[in-house]
Amino acid sequence: MNPTTTKVRVGSELHCEVVDWLDTEAELLDDGHEARWLDEMVSREVVYQMPLRQTVERARGAGFEEHAFHLDETYGSLASRVARNQTPYAWAEDPPSRIRHFVTGVRVSETEDGLIAVRSNLLVMRTRQEMTQPQTFAGERRDVLRREDGVLRLYRRTILLDLTVIGTHNLAIFF
């Protein structure tokens, strides 16, 4: 992505379009429509990553590893996960988790090369089976959207979780 960006004003047509896109994405994922999400909202050239986080002193940066990931996905690997979840062999997600995505603090910028950079805060609540305490994932998403045939699609996603240790049995959900 080109580092030169222009901030998009809240309430502008593009900002509203991006917020609507994020709301639609959250609804599809919360309702278990992963195949539709992948088909309608994700670029075939997507890079979808969740880097490892470390606790480090301020002088050493933000604490995210550049070359180590909890998730490092392409369209093909995302498609394999979606397809597997639709089989009787998806034991990690059968019965499926109950998921709720809360996306706030949406900041939008346009890049010189026509891409749309989106930063948002994310809170994902997940319960499984008979859990009485939800699993909570909080952090920031740094997305790049691009228009493909007039439709916004997810081109890049970096999930920066606030957690250094992810206390869950699996990461079979989408952020």
Side-chain angles (χ1 to χ4, degrees):
M1 179 176 68
N2 189 323
T4 305
T5 63
T6 304
K7 185 177 178 180
V8 173
R9 191 176 51 80
V10 173
S12 68
E13 185 176 331
L14 179 57
H15 190 274
C16 291
E17 181 181 18
V18 168
V19 169
D20 184 59
W21 188 94
L22 292 168
D23 288 344
T24 300
E25 178 189 41
E27 181 179 358
L28 288 174
L29 293 174
D30 291 348
D31 290 346
H33 301 297
E34 297 164 344
R36 188 170 156 209
W37 165 75
L38 187 68
D39 183 54
E40 296 177 9
M41 303 191 81
V42 178
S43 172
R44 300 250 184 223
E45 297 174 29
V46 71
V47 174
Y48 185 99
Q49 296 177 322
M50 180 188 296
L52 295 176
R53 182 171 200 139
Q54 296 178 319
T55 301
V56 298
E57 300 83 13
R58 286 186 185 126
R60 291 181 48 208
F64 290 99
E65 289 290 326
E66 291 183 28
H67 304 290
F69 304 93
H70 291 290
L71 300 171
D72 188 8
E73 308 268 5
T74 64
Y75 189 88
S77 62
L78 291 172
S80 293
R81 287 177 55 195
V82 167
R84 186 172 190 282
N85 281 348
Q86 296 174 341
T87 72
Y89 304 106
W91 297 307
E93 278 300 307
D94 192 18
S97 294
R98 291 170 295 280
I99 306 285
R100 190 71 49 214
H101 290 76
F102 298 90
V103 182
T104 64
V106 177
R107 289 94 64 206
V108 179
S109 299
E110 287 185 284
T111 67
E112 286 182 347
D113 50 4
L115 300 174
I116 302 164
V118 182
R119 290 179 67 171
S120 60
N121 300 324
L122 176 69
L123 180 67
V124 177
M125 302 291 289
R126 174 193 198 192
T127 57
R128 291 190 36 77
Q129 300 178 0
E130 303 305 320
M131 290 175 64
T132 58
Q133 294 296 316
Q135 295 172 338
T136 304
F137 306 92
E140 180 182 31
R141 288 193 310 203
R142 295 186 181 172
D143 295 338
V144 177
L145 306 179
R146 89 174 168 188
R147 289 196 192 279
E148 297 178 4
D149 299 322
V151 176
L152 286 181
R153 293 196 182 266
L154 181 63
Y155 181 58
R156 301 276 182 268
R157 171 161 288 163
T158 303
I159 304 131
L160 302 172
L161 288 186
D162 294 335
L163 303 164
T164 54
V165 177
I166 299 175
T168 185
H169 296 293
N170 65 59
L171 281 174
I173 63 173
F174 297 96
F175 291 85

